[in-house]
Amino acid sequence: ALRERGCRSEERLREALREIEAEVQRRKQLIHQSVERRAIISRCYKPKHPEVYTLQDSFLAPEFLEIVRFCTSPGADLQGLLGYLESFSDKRIYRLPVFTEEFCQAFVDELENFEQSDMPKGRPNTMNNYGVLLNELGMDEPFLTPLRERLLQPITALLYPELGGASLDSHKAFVVKYALHEDLDLSSHYDNAEVTLNVSLGKEFTEGNLYFGDFNQDPSPAPQYIEVEHRRARGLLHRGGQIHGALPIASGERWNLIVWLRSSAIRNQRCPMCNRKPELVPAEGFGDGFTEAPGEEVPPTVNLCAL
């Protein structure tokens, strides 16, 4: 594979292998570094808005709660759900209200307070240089897990059943920031997730639309891209494998909550990054959403392909 990608000489091949090994070692350290940062933050950081760390129904748009009520009602089906959502083309991308404006304002204010503190900070991924890993702020159990289990899963069960929408048993959640003289845009990619929720939190900004192309397993010779406008407090649900990116903002500042929703029942059979059956090794936390067979007493695991 390396030779096919330009490593023609033995020297270049050895150089590429050294780079790969260094990246493997770097990624192996990420979870340990994150655990250390979380311990320091838990011990030393004083939140400005401690109330936003625990999910409350008052944070949620009434329309979102109505959607959840429909999805958990007897006889709920896909056609009925689509009546509540805004759909885009045939790419199975849906927009829906999620939070209140008041919550978005308080949440962004809290994130800015954390960014301005002297606490250690892990960045979301190799593509985003500005943002916050929410598990390091201690938001997994009190906020994100109930958001996934109680509120999002009834919706994704109807929208994405073949992607494990009814069995989303882990997540990775982070906030990304776009601003002039910082990150302006995001190039084409697909997510390490079965389903992605992307909520625009604000603040004030112009341009910066999302664009969507092919599903990664079904590329077309000439991809057809569509643009979708961000709207504050509203979220976009899409398949994690959908090729997408963010166009540059022209002014202002935009914060987005990203939740990668994962189903071990799906990814244990096929890694979403390499499309092969994964080989698993022990890991801490959610382990990128991979697990061993149910019922076996084993630690959480991580995908070797991702390393």
Side-chain angles (χ1 to χ4, degrees):
L2 290 173
R3 293 186 190 281
E4 291 174 359
R5 288 164 172 78
C7 293
R8 305 300 183 188
S9 68
E10 289 300 316
E11 181 181 356
R12 181 67 189 98
L13 181 63
R14 287 193 294 270
E15 181 184 350
L17 289 173
R18 286 194 295 270
E19 292 174 3
I20 291 170
E21 179 60 27
E23 179 64 10
V24 168
Q25 295 305 318
R26 185 190 73 83
R27 295 192 182 201
K28 284 182 176 180
Q29 295 303 312
L30 290 178
I31 183 63
H32 306 297
Q33 295 165 355
S34 182
V35 169
E36 291 173 0
R37 287 192 297 267
R38 179 174 178 176
I40 294 171
I41 293 167
S42 175
R43 185 170 64 249
C44 303
Y45 176 63
K46 183 177 180 179
K48 183 177 181 179
H49 298 283
E51 70 279 1
V52 304
Y53 286 72
T54 301
L55 184 63
Q56 302 175 40
D57 282 359
S58 61
F59 298 165
L60 304 168
E63 300 92 333
F64 180 66
L65 293 172
E66 179 60 28
I67 292 171
V68 175
R69 280 192 290 269
F70 169 79
C71 292
T72 54
S73 66
D77 60 10
L78 175 60
Q79 288 306 311
L81 172 58
L82 293 179
Y84 290 90
L85 308 178
E86 188 176 356
S87 302
F88 296 91
S89 74
D90 60 349
K91 298 182 185 295
R92 300 171 70 190
I93 303 163
Y94 307 100
R95 180 157 56 203
L96 69 166
V98 179
F99 297 120
T100 65
E101 294 273 353
E102 293 76 15
F103 169 76
C104 290
Q105 183 175 348
F107 191 27
V108 170
D109 196 36
E110 175 61 34
L111 294 168
E112 289 183 317
N113 185 69
F114 175 73
E115 283 286 84
Q116 293 162 9
S117 74
D118 59 359
M119 293 294 104
K121 300 171 182 72
R123 296 312 181 188
N125 49 59
T126 56
M127 299 180 73
N128 292 103
N129 298 303
Y130 300 90
V132 179
L133 288 164
L134 295 182
N135 68 308
E136 295 184 3
L137 283 182
M139 295 188 71
D140 261 350
E141 290 305 316
F143 191 105
L144 294 159
T145 294
L147 178 67
R148 167 173 52 84
E149 293 180 345
R150 181 169 66 89
L151 301 167
L152 292 175
Q153 193 161 288
I155 300 172
T156 57
L158 294 176
L159 291 177
Y160 307 108
E162 81 287 0
L163 295 176
S167 59
L168 299 172
D169 49 6
S170 68
H171 60 263
K172 177 179 179 178
F174 49 94
V175 172
V176 293
K177 176 190 175 186
Y178 298 91
L180 301 181
H181 310 300
E182 295 183 358
D183 286 341
L184 290 176
D185 55 12
L186 189 63
S187 59
S188 296
H189 66 283
Y190 58 87
D191 299 336
N192 185 358
E194 277 62 73
V195 180
T196 295
L197 173 68
N198 182 334
V199 185
S200 178
L201 302 171
K203 304 161 72 174
E204 297 296 329
F205 58 90
T206 59
E207 304 296 335
N209 290 348
L210 287 179
Y211 62 89
F212 292 89
D214 290 320
F215 192 65
N216 70 331
Q217 295 163 5
D218 185 27
S220 63
Q224 296 295 312
Y225 288 93
I226 65 167
E227 286 189 31
V228 181
E229 180 185 3
H230 280 292
R231 294 184 182 174
R232 183 173 175 173
R234 292 179 175 264
L236 292 169
L237 277 169
H238 63 84
R239 296 174 293 178
Q242 195 84 45
I243 299 294
H244 61 285
L247 296 170
I249 65 168
S251 66
E253 197 174 291
R254 187 178 83 237
W255 295 74
N256 285 67
L257 168 65
I258 312 294
V259 186
W260 287 353
L261 300 159
R262 294 160 166 172
S263 168
S264 61
I266 298 296
R267 60 182 42 218
N268 284 0
Q269 303 305 311
R270 185 183 65 193
C271 169
M273 307 308 286
C274 71
N275 291 324
R276 298 177 182 176
K277 188 172 179 62
E279 299 175 24
L280 305 177
V281 297
E284 299 181 56
F286 283 132
D288 262 9
F290 297 85
T291 66
E292 289 285 1
E296 296 183 15
E297 292 298 324
V298 295
T301 52
V302 70
N303 175 26
L304 277 173
C305 300
L307 300 178

